[in-house]
Amino acid sequence: MLQLLLISTLPAFTLMLVAPAATHKHCKLVRELGLVALLLARELLHHSASAACAWGGEGGGSSNKERERERGVRIMPSKAKPEPALAAREEGEEGTEAELNAAALPLLDLPELALERVLEELEPPSLAAMACVCVALRDRCSADTLWGRHVNRKWGRVLGAAARKEWEAELAARRSSGALPRPARRRSLADSLACAWPFSWITCRWLKGNAVAAEPAAATPSPLPSPATDTVAAWYRAVECGEFSFPAQVYNREDGHVGFVLSCYDAHLRYDRRTDTFTARYPPHGRKPAKEESGVQWSRVRSPPVSTPAHDLHASGCLGDLRPGDHFEIQWRKNKDFPYGWWYGVVGHQETCNANEHLCRCHEDDMVVLEFKHYAAGSRWRQTTVSRKDHREKGDETDGFYGGIRKLQTSDEISTWRKFWPVDVLN
């Protein structure tokens, strides 16, 4: 038996050693043939051991019976040990019976509302895996209503109307160019054997073919199965797997750069599942090339609150409502070749006003005082004024150009800006 086992396993280990030195074209075939040989050797060893145990049990049993007959001792048959489920029912364990009944109930036989509730509780990876079970579950688990909840729950704060519009434009471009989704990888010989022979020691690393992971499998979440391209599930998967970069805005561009404190700039973001962060690509500034910033945290990302492009002047509709103490965002750029960024500030009082809330008439003045209090008093960036009635872009190449204004309406927006307040006053 040992000789037969060595003869069957020796070619397998030989193929395993030769596989790394083989050419790329034949490397996968050699490795799979080696795996087949290992599988056959393991099967042979398993069946041989089973046969040996059965043969030894039968031989030992006959000799014992002969000895007992010679001694004249009658062997009394032992009482069969009851099965665990039957013993539990005899002891009155109703919980076990209920669990058995629940396990025997098919999922698709559940009432409609109960099944929907079960699917709503599944996380995205589990929901995607459930869609691969059968056709009926595939249709249910791919419903836009289910995946819409997951999109809003995880991406609602960073995905806006602009991101959805770009995704639809990308789908339209694929249809017009006739681009089809990438076909699934053909099943290899090892894949087929893994389905036919349930061996637990065949790990996912063997079944990946020539794809070698750069990091341990536990560090990188498994990707979701690919759904239909025109569904919300496909949009979720494209964002989650980093296959789709979407427009958003990033607070404090180039984190740590003093020139962008309390600002928010447009960028295209790509999600990285391994680090749970984003990579931001900012548009070029004049002749300067586009810059990328990796490791952008969730707290620094927001969906654009307005649809105004970064190079266009925002139409200010709130100038008549601005009063001292109101919080705002204003467009600013260094020169006219640069895109606008949004900068945080507070409406201030006129020089002639004593800042008394009962006597203040600053809201009736044609000019609005805009203060940026994170700059020191006397700094040229500390304060500026704009006209309420005829506001347009104002400024020069020295102090930059101020554009449209947007009044902050909610305490959440204000508190988000305040979280980025610098420790030291800027000059």
Side-chain angles (χ1 to χ4, degrees):
M1 182 62 64
L2 181 60
Q3 292 82 353
L4 182 61
L5 180 61
L6 291 176
I7 293 173
S8 61
T9 55
L10 184 60
F13 286 106
T14 304
L15 289 172
M16 290 297 178
L17 295 175
V18 175
T23 61
H24 178 75
K25 181 177 180 181
H26 303 289
C27 180
K28 185 176 180 181
L29 178 60
V30 171
R31 186 166 54 209
E32 290 187 351
L33 290 176
L35 180 59
V36 172
L38 284 177
L39 293 176
L40 292 175
R42 184 182 182 277
E43 282 292 283
L44 179 61
L45 180 61
H46 175 71
H47 289 295
S48 300
S50 301
C53 293
W55 178 81
E58 291 177 0
S62 59
S63 60
N64 290 336
K65 290 180 181 180
E66 291 176 358
R67 294 193 191 99
E68 294 299 338
R69 289 194 190 97
E70 292 175 358
R71 296 175 184 175
V73 180
R74 177 177 297 179
I75 300 176
M76 300 298 295
S78 60
K79 184 178 180 181
K81 186 178 179 180
E83 296 183 0
L86 295 177
R89 283 198 294 270
E90 290 176 358
E91 295 173 2
E93 296 183 2
E94 298 179 356
T96 305
E97 184 177 359
E99 292 176 2
L100 292 174
N101 293 335
L105 179 64
L107 181 64
L108 293 177
D109 289 347
L110 290 174
E112 195 75 16
L113 294 178
L115 180 57
E116 290 182 3
R117 189 71 181 90
V118 169
L119 297 180
E120 288 175 2
E121 292 297 323
L122 294 179
E123 293 297 322
S126 301
L127 189 61
M130 186 72 75
C132 300
V133 173
C134 62
V135 176
L137 285 176
R138 181 187 64 190
D139 297 338
R140 289 178 176 275
C141 296
S142 302
D144 290 347
T145 53
L146 287 176
W147 286 97
R149 294 189 183 95
H150 292 296
V151 170
N152 293 332
R153 185 182 305 168
K154 183 170 184 177
W155 308 103
R157 194 169 57 83
V158 298
L159 290 180
R164 181 66 182 180
K165 188 175 181 180
E166 281 204 11
W167 172 250
E168 293 175 352
E170 182 173 325
L171 292 180
R174 291 180 186 177
R175 297 189 194 100
S176 61
S177 62
L180 297 176
R182 184 176 58 183
R185 181 176 62 90
R186 293 185 61 184
R187 293 174 63 88
S188 63
L189 180 59
D191 295 334
S192 303
L193 289 172
C195 295
W197 295 347
F199 295 142
S200 59
W201 61 280
I202 303 179
T203 61
C204 295
R205 190 173 184 84
W206 283 103
L207 300 179
K208 284 180 180 177
N210 293 328
V212 179
E215 296 183 7
T220 304
S222 58
L224 303 177
S226 299
T229 56
D230 57 347
T231 60
V232 179
W235 188 29
Y236 184 98
R237 184 188 184 280
V239 178
E240 175 77 19
C241 298
E243 299 172 358
F244 172 66
S245 60
F246 56 91
Q249 292 180 345
V250 180
Y251 292 99
N252 287 10
R253 170 182 170 164
E254 300 174 35
D255 191 23
H257 195 297
V258 69
F260 295 102
V261 174
L262 285 184
S263 68
C264 196
Y265 273 81
D266 286 46
H268 268 75
L269 273 66
R270 188 180 298 276
Y271 180 65
D272 187 352
R273 293 182 301 139
R274 296 172 299 175
T275 59
D276 193 28
T277 58
F278 299 91
T279 299
R281 181 177 179 84
Y282 302 101
H285 277 200
R287 297 180 179 179
K288 296 182 179 180
K291 288 188 176 182
E292 282 195 0
E293 179 185 358
S294 59
V296 178
Q297 301 293 330
W298 282 82
S299 58
R300 293 177 51 208
V301 180
R302 74 173 184 182
S303 61
V306 295
S307 59
T308 307
H311 286 273
D312 295 352
L313 180 67
H314 175 67
S316 306
C318 63
L319 292 175
D321 301 330
L322 292 179
R323 294 172 175 266
D326 287 344
H327 302 258
F328 66 87
E329 298 175 3
I330 186 171
Q331 289 177 310
W332 183 87
R333 57 183 175 179
K334 187 175 182 180
N335 59 55
K336 294 195 174 184
D337 293 332
F338 283 26
Y340 283 114
W342 291 94
W343 297 74
Y344 170 75
V346 181
V347 178
H349 292 272
Q350 300 288 339
E351 292 183 1
T352 58
C353 180
N354 60 4
N356 188 311
E357 61 179 349
H358 299 292
L359 302 177
C360 178
R361 293 291 181 268
C362 294
H363 60 279
E364 299 176 356
D365 199 290
D366 289 342
M367 303 299 292
V368 182
V369 178
L370 307 178
E371 291 185 338
F372 307 92
K373 296 183 178 180
H374 53 288
Y375 288 99
S379 171
R380 61 174 179 168
W381 311 110
R382 170 78 180 201
Q383 189 181 93
T384 189
T385 58
V386 297
S387 173
R388 292 181 188 270
K389 297 181 179 180
D390 186 26
H391 176 58
R392 60 186 66 183
E393 184 183 59
K394 58 162 290 187
D396 51 41
E397 296 289 339
T398 302
D399 296 334
F401 296 88
Y402 295 89
I405 300 175
R406 189 180 78 89
K407 180 180 178 180
L408 301 181
Q409 302 289 347
T410 65
S411 59
D412 290 340
E413 286 184 304
I414 298 172
S415 62
T416 301
W417 276 108
R418 301 290 293 184
K419 287 190 299 185
F420 301 104
W421 194 269
V423 177
D424 300 323
V425 179
L426 306 179
N427 295 319

